[in-house]
Amino acid sequence: FRSKQWYQRRVAITAGTYNKHFGALPRLGVTAFSMKDGSNVVTHEALRSIQSVLKHLYAFEDPNALNMTKIIGGKEYTLYSDDFCERPMIPDIFKPYDPTDEYSYVRKGAYQSYGYVELLKCMSEDSSIIKTLPDGWGIDKAPCMRTTILDCFKEGEVDYPKNMKLLQEVVQNSAVPLLSSSSYVLKCLDKIEKQYLHGMTMLKVENAAYRAAEERFFLQEWTWKIFLSFGYHWRPSIDDFKTAEELVEHVQLSLEAKEASNYTIETCLQKAIMNKITQNYDDIPRCCPLWAGSTDVGNEVFVGKPILNETTGRWSGLRSTRVPVVAQPSQAPFWIKEKRKKYRLRLCVDTTA
């Protein structure tokens, strides 16, 4: 009893100190799904229901999404789950820029978003299958930090931000010529390097020639591959599986594949792309990475209690599945700074709570 009291006091003191100086720790909110009778939740109907619920909870760009109205300073504001979740920071090189300002991408440091937009535009002149992005495009926000069983399927895009949905609509068709470094791709990259150099020179960026070549290299070797791994465009749809047994098998095999010593997201991604090229829809890539193709967070956290086949020992279903979401506390300085910018509010940190 004494040790329990001591532990509770220590936790309270530590939390109070952290709140005072840093504005509190992020919270983990978990939504669990299960059938009333305890049966398998990995069925077509159940997964569609989970998709519908998550869209209502977290698809903040949907006007029907769960929200709350708050009156601040006499003005009414609508806040969504999106306003309280924690999300990865987007580097300046991938952010939007002002298309009406010729050198906006240089001022903002949005070299890779600008370069990718220009690259697709140039490639589309030689290939009618290349889709383009609007001028000024960039990634303004990443999805919330969460994991769900839907990450194993295309339907995991339920809460994917608008600009990232635009991205996943164009990356597939450009992958093959970029992968093979087609001659017209190299011509376009040369053109973009000159544009980089011109913009940097006009704004008097130091070592402009070196920086322009560096940004071109990053665009050619890394950016398009990073963008290709983002999103859900290359994952199988729930409807690609005929039975609930096939759905369960896909989830289990995907989680087992991740544990293999030779598993990489690149392997899974390349397999998915080649399948699309060869129209081989039988050999499904087995992987359930997060939206960014990351394997850093264990996707197995979405797994509830498995229903085991007594003969094989394999799963015949899951009795439940979880959706953990990392939430940003409203006392945190970063949260306050973000809301000030978004809603043009005057907010302050309350460390007395």
Side-chain angles (χ1 to χ4, degrees):
F1 177 74
R2 286 181 180 177
S3 63
K4 183 179 179 181
Q5 277 192 324
W6 177 87
Y7 178 76
Q8 288 174 335
R9 284 200 303 271
R10 289 303 308 164
V11 169
I13 292 169
T14 302
T17 302
Y18 196 95
N19 287 359
K20 181 177 180 180
H21 293 284
F22 301 104
L25 285 164
R27 272 72 160 166
L28 184 66
V30 180
T31 304
F33 297 89
S34 62
M35 305 297 287
K36 286 184 178 180
D37 60 0
S39 59
N40 177 31
V41 296
V42 191
T43 66
H44 293 80
E45 184 179 6
L47 291 176
R48 289 294 183 192
S49 296
I50 292 171
Q51 180 188 21
S52 177
V53 172
L54 293 182
K55 185 176 181 181
H56 181 65
L57 287 176
Y58 301 113
F60 55 92
E61 290 169 343
D62 183 333
N64 297 314
L66 183 68
N67 62 75
M68 64 179 286
T69 301
K70 193 81 172 173
I71 297 177
I72 305 174
K75 188 175 180 180
E76 186 176 283
Y77 297 90
T78 302
L79 303 176
Y80 294 86
S81 299
D82 160 71
D83 286 303
F84 297 95
C85 77
E86 185 164 326
R87 63 184 77 251
M89 299 288 289
I90 301 296
D92 289 342
I93 57 173
F94 295 143
K95 286 185 177 179
Y97 55 96
D98 181 1
T100 65
D101 176 358
E102 185 179 358
Y103 308 119
S104 170
Y105 72 94
V106 180
R107 301 183 212 277
K108 294 178 178 290
Y111 294 107
Q112 294 303 305
S113 50
Y114 168 82
Y116 192 69
V117 169
E118 293 297 310
L119 178 60
L120 293 179
K121 197 186 302 182
C122 179
M123 289 171 62
S124 69
E125 295 174 1
D126 288 272
S127 174
S128 59
I129 68 167
I130 303 296
K131 296 181 180 179
T132 60
L133 288 164
D135 289 337
W137 175 88
I139 301 175
D140 51 350
K141 65 169 62 178
C144 295
M145 293 177 64
R146 56 52 165 183
T147 184
T148 160
I149 193 170
L150 294 180
D151 285 335
C152 301
F153 307 96
K154 186 178 184 298
E155 287 74 13
E157 67 182 19
V158 61
D159 59 345
Y160 214 40
K162 178 182 176 182
N163 279 9
M164 300 199 76
K165 283 184 177 178
L166 288 175
L167 174 63
Q168 70 175 10
E169 288 173 7
V170 306
V171 290
Q172 288 187 63
N173 290 350
S174 61
V176 176
L178 283 166
L179 194 63
S180 59
S181 296
S182 300
S183 58
Y184 72 92
V185 172
L186 297 176
K187 178 192 71 174
C188 289
L189 288 165
D190 289 342
K191 177 182 176 182
I192 292 166
E193 184 177 350
K194 291 177 182 177
Q195 291 172 222
Y196 280 148
L197 178 58
H198 174 69
M200 292 178 184
T201 302
M202 293 302 293
L203 267 62
K204 297 181 170 54
V205 175
E206 291 186 10
N207 302 316
Y210 173 80
R211 288 287 310 281
E214 185 178 51
E215 294 297 341
R216 179 250 174 88
F217 175 82
F218 195 78
L219 179 65
Q220 180 176 355
E221 299 296 329
W222 296 104
T223 295
W224 73 269
K225 294 178 184 177
I226 293 171
F227 285 171
L228 187 62
S229 70
F230 285 178
Y232 299 85
H233 60 94
W234 53 272
R235 308 182 197 209
S237 169
I238 292 169
D239 295 329
D240 290 338
F241 301 88
K242 296 177 182 178
T243 65
E245 288 75 17
E246 290 181 0
L247 288 169
V248 173
E249 181 186 41
H250 173 63
V251 173
Q252 186 171 17
L253 288 174
S254 296
L255 294 178
E256 289 174 345
K258 180 188 166 187
E259 301 305 317
S261 58
N262 62 343
Y263 174 87
T264 64
I265 187 59
E266 288 80 12
T267 303
C268 199
L269 184 59
Q270 287 174 4
K271 183 176 183 180
I273 294 170
M274 290 309 298
N275 285 353
K276 285 184 178 295
I277 294 170
T278 59
Q279 296 185 344
N280 177 13
Y281 301 110
D282 296 324
D283 189 15
I284 296 172
R286 307 292 186 178
C287 39
C288 299
L290 304 183
W291 66 268
S294 168
T295 57
D296 296 337
V297 179
N299 297 81
E300 60 276 5
V301 295
F302 64 64
V303 175
K305 186 177 180 180
I307 304 170
L308 297 179
N309 182 306
E310 294 181 0
T311 304
T312 64
R314 303 287 294 172
W315 293 356
S316 59
L318 292 176
R319 295 194 191 280
S320 63
T321 182
R322 299 183 289 264
V323 180
V325 180
V326 181
Q328 187 70 254
S330 57
Q331 301 100 321
F334 178 77
W335 184 90
I336 290 172
K337 181 181 178 182
E338 192 180 61
K339 294 321 122 184
R340 278 176 179 160
K341 183 178 179 181
K342 179 175 179 179
Y343 295 108
R344 303 185 185 279
L345 295 174
R346 294 191 63 183
L347 300 172
C348 58
V349 181
D350 180 5
T351 57
T352 63

